[in-house]
Amino acid sequence: MTSPTDDSRNHADVRVQGSTDALPLSPALGVTLDAAKMPRRSTLVDRRVLHITAVSVVLGIGAAVIAKILTMLIGLITNLAFYGQASTAFSSPADAVPHLGWWVVPIPVVGGVIVGFMARWGSRAIRGHGIPEAMEQVLLNESKIPPRITFLKPISSAIAIGTGGPFGAEGPIIATGGALGSFVGQVMKVTGSERKVLLAAGAAAGMSAIFSAPIAAVVLAVELLLFELRPRSLIPVALACVAATGTRYVLMGTEPVFAMPVLASPGGWALATYVLIGAVVGLISVWTTKIVYAIEDWFEELPIHWMWWPAIGGLVVGVVGYFAPLTLGVGYSNIENILNGRLTLTGLAFLCVMKFVSWSVSLGSGTSGGTLAPLFTIGGALGAVAGIGVAAVAPHFGMDPRIAALVGMAAIFAGASRALLTAVVFAFETTAQPAGLLPLLGGCTAAYLISALMMRNTIMTEKIARRGVRVPAEYAADYLDQVVVGDACARDVVTLQIAQTLAEVRRWLGEGSPDAQHQGFPVVDEQGRVHGVLTRRSLLDPQWHYTLTLGELVTRPPIAVNEGHSLREAADHMVAEGVGRLVVVSKDDPRKLVGILTRGDILAAHGRRLREARHSARHLRFRDGLRPRPEEAVASRH
């Protein structure tokens, strides 16, 4: 470190944080680094997390109760619409088709009209399956979902599903749980980040309560709602899911949602075939996503108000339901039958096609519904068809069509949503079949790979991406949190002595030395301890008499950072204090100046990371005998 009295001076761009401009003159020799503004040390959790966790547990219990009420409401509407009786017991609309005949067609139309009216005069946010809308609120609106969605979404979904809509109850309850968490977060005094955690906790708890899949629900929250993996968000969400699942055990029992007999572990050839089936289903999931949004675009071109679109979708649902009754309603029994091999090859193919037609048109019309159960039905049927075909052609492979159905069910969701881990864990938790884990991992990863190669956005993100919302697709450890300040700061700093007078410093500034051209200078004592920072403007201000010492001009402590802090902590400190430079002090002696950290130093650290990545990519291309891309060639010259 140097001062203006040194023979050799180093060039460092030092800007001040703590200017004395427009401050009343007061002796400040006693201002030391003991009063410096240092960044708070980041911790994994704090007492605030305990508070958010307690609220999340209550949310989890509430979401489970709402899930039970929603299933009862769906049962009530189904029985009223198809059987003319008041009962909350679950019943399938398919059983009513033989005695209703063509009268089954107008029932979904009436449901669509009601949903359209609710969307028009209640809230447009009830349209669709809910998860994209929740993602949009997380990314753009500090996780603030309108409170009316908390009751409008489940009611509209119950009407749509109860009148034959080909959806599951999981999408609406996930959206409702998220809306409930957001509402609680808006009533309480919480930050935007904490409100996001409450939203994710409510949504994940809803999925846990419907499917008894708490681990998959936690992973779903991480992959689609939280966009992070931190203890302060993971702990509340996980305990909310535990609370919701425990409440479900009390209200609905502990049996797996899709019970299956014990399966045998697959051999090598069978495992390879399951992975191939996953890849094929992944390809189909890409086209499924494209077709759904193409149908949605087609509805946008209709010359009638969007309020009537769900009625048109309901008409298709009714016609398809007349010819294929199993496509009506939630269809959880269809999934269980597919996974247990109870449907013939012809029945599987017919159900797969008709369910896709009914669901895609209905969802594209903007009615209130979900995507998980329909995708599981379609993917499970595809997997089962493939498994039966391979078992017939190559019986020595040892294929089990039931495992193939399980892989297809999970792979189509992994490909369409790119929630890979959610798909794998969900299929395991809902069936409790450990022998299916390895085929699931292989098949879902293959589907994920195909989807990532062929499709930028997913069935969850395409809608909001069209509105200009950029959704994070990759999660990585914060690079700034891995670099310490001591490795990035400038250590050769031009300093001023606390005992120097203004006359000396002004004379030095007037000499035109390169070191004197900076906009600010740390002020230190004889032991190298920093007392503050003075701007060039303050040093040249004529209101200060030339006989004053620099120690008398320092009126506020410096904004500092320890050399052991991370660049993330330093960057956050800069933003919080509204400065672009930080004084860096020794971790052994917190009063000793060791350097200056600027915004440019932080960008330079990012530059090193980018150069390393480009160098690695360029090395691989040269190794493979490929020419470097133009941008890589430019980077290499710099």
Side-chain angles (χ1 to χ4, degrees), residues 265-266 270-271 274-275 403-404 407 434-445:
S265 297
L271 180 60
Y274 295 138
V275 174
I403 296 182
V407 170
L437 271 173
L438 191 57
L440 282 169
L441 182 60
C444 290
T445 304

Side-chain angles (χ1 to χ4, degrees), residues 115 124 127-129 133 166-167 288-302 304-314 316-317 355-371 374 459 463 466-467:
V115 171
R124 290 190 63 169
R127 304 173 71 211
H129 50 97
E133 289 73 20
F167 309 108
T288 297
T289 302
K290 294 181 182 295
I291 292 173
V292 166
Y293 281 101
I295 293 173
E296 187 172 294
D297 293 339
W298 178 80
F299 273 100
E300 293 284 350
E301 300 296 327
L302 292 180
I304 60 175
H305 195 279
W306 57 260
M307 177 182 69
W308 302 106
W309 298 351
I312 298 174
V316 175
V317 169
K355 184 75 171 183
F356 174 73
V357 171
S358 177
W359 165 73
S360 60
V361 174
S362 184
L363 186 65
S365 71
T367 193
S368 182
T371 59
I459 200 168
K463 180 181 295 185
R466 293 181 177 188
R467 300 173 189 160

Side-chain angles (χ1 to χ4, degrees), residues 127-182:
R127 304 173 71 211
H129 50 97
I131 294 180
E133 289 73 20
M135 295 170 73
E136 185 174 22
Q137 298 305 314
V138 168
L139 293 169
L140 298 183
N141 197 31
E142 296 185 334
S143 304
K144 294 179 181 178
I145 297 176
R148 60 184 180 274
I149 300 300
T150 307
F151 61 89
L152 284 178
K153 184 65 177 180
I155 294 175
S156 63
S157 299
I159 293 171
I161 299 170
T163 54
F167 309 108
E170 68 289 334
I173 189 56
I174 289 173
T176 303
L180 178 62
S182 174

Side-chain angles (χ1 to χ4, degrees), residues 417-455:
S417 69
R418 283 209 284 275
L420 168 63
L421 297 179
T422 300
V424 174
V425 178
F426 174 85
F428 168 69
E429 284 191 293
T430 54
T431 60
Q433 293 298 320
L437 271 173
L438 191 57
L440 282 169
L441 182 60
C444 290
T445 304
Y448 184 90
L449 172 62
I450 297 298
S451 174
L453 286 172
M454 298 184 63
M455 187 168 59

Side-chain angles (χ1 to χ4, degrees), residues 94 164-167 317 320-321 324-329 334 350-351 354-355 358:
F167 309 108
V317 169
V320 172
L326 291 180
T327 62
L328 297 170
N334 294 337
F350 184 69
L351 175 62
M354 300 304 281
K355 184 75 171 183
S358 177

Side-chain angles (χ1 to χ4, degrees), residues 258-264 336 339-342 400 402 431-434:
F258 307 128
M260 296 178 67
V262 178
L263 302 176
E336 186 169 345
L339 293 176
N340 285 279
R342 296 172 186 157
D400 188 336
R402 295 172 299 178
T431 60
Q433 293 298 320

